[in-house]
Amino acid sequence: AMQAGPESSRWLVVLILLAGVLGGMVWAGIVALLRDRFNASEILVSLMLVYVADLLLSYLVYGPWKDPKGYNFPQTITFLAVTKIPRLVDGLRINIGVFVALGAVAATALLLFRTYAGFALQVGGLAPAAARYAGFSSRRSLWLALMMSGGLAGLAGGLEAAGPLGQLTPYVPVGYGFAAIIVA
């Protein structure tokens, strides 16, 4: 097992964010699999998986990842400085995650509006019958959309945990899962 120390490279932050992306993709993959194989509603499945994620987080911070010097509070150790996202301004929460998020928005816009796969996603969302008639794969679109959105959600979680919070607690999500459905 790899363990971070004060002498670790700053590039470790990139690995942390990639782990967040991968975790989000795996979580969204559960939704995609259930939708693909059993035609389960991706909306209901993803909402119910919010509860599972909350319970998993609680298990980890009350159990194996609990800070032994944390006065019995449900939290992990405070992340080492080398694993934290650099702040842009001292004293404020704003960090380089702003640029990562803007880059993700630009990359998503390029995918959606400048690629064949993005066009297929748009047509499938706006006119499913037209997408089937055009021969677009609804399965491929389903997996692409969920893997992208899961990866972006995982990236956001990684930026939040390794950014201003600097540790995991049961209060990290603060209702994001349910706010997301309203935004969507």
Side-chain angles (χ1 to χ4, degrees):
M2 188 174 101
Q3 194 167 10
E7 69 286 345
S8 297
S9 168
R10 288 293 296 159
W11 288 99
L12 186 60
V13 172
V14 174
L15 291 177
I16 291 168
L17 295 181
L18 287 175
V21 169
L22 184 61
M25 291 174 80
V26 167
W27 208 253
I30 297 168
V31 178
L33 181 69
L34 293 173
R35 174 64 180 189
D36 190 20
R37 296 286 179 225
F38 304 106
N39 203 29
S41 167
E42 66 276 15
I43 295 170
L44 294 178
V45 170
S46 60
L47 282 175
M48 294 304 103
L49 280 175
V50 168
Y51 289 109
V52 176
D54 283 343
L55 289 171
L56 178 61
L57 175 62
S58 291
Y59 164 72
L60 291 172
V61 297
Y62 280 96
W65 290 359
K66 188 176 188 177
D67 182 1
K69 298 175 185 170
Y71 302 103
N72 212 28
F73 284 101
Q75 61 192 25
T76 64
I77 63 168
T78 300
F79 299 164
L80 296 174
V82 73
T83 64
K84 291 184 183 177
I85 309 249
R87 292 182 184 213
L88 292 178
V89 179
D90 285 337
L92 297 179
R93 291 172 45 107
I94 191 166
N95 58 48
I96 63 167
V98 169
F99 302 119
V100 174
L102 290 173
V105 167
T108 302
L110 283 173
L111 174 89
L112 284 176
F113 302 114
R114 296 286 184 244
T115 67
Y116 179 79
F119 178 69
L121 277 174
Q122 288 186 59
V123 173
L126 295 171
R132 281 191 301 276
Y133 182 76
F136 296 152
S137 169
S138 60
R139 286 187 76 201
R140 186 179 310 132
S141 293
L142 167 75
W143 281 93
L144 177 61
L146 280 165
M147 292 297 98
M148 277 180 47
S149 59
L152 290 172
L155 176 62
L159 287 167
E160 185 75 358
L165 296 177
Q167 68 182 162
L168 287 177
T169 73
Y171 316 107
V172 171
V174 297
Y176 290 150
F178 295 102
I181 195 66
I182 296 167
V183 171

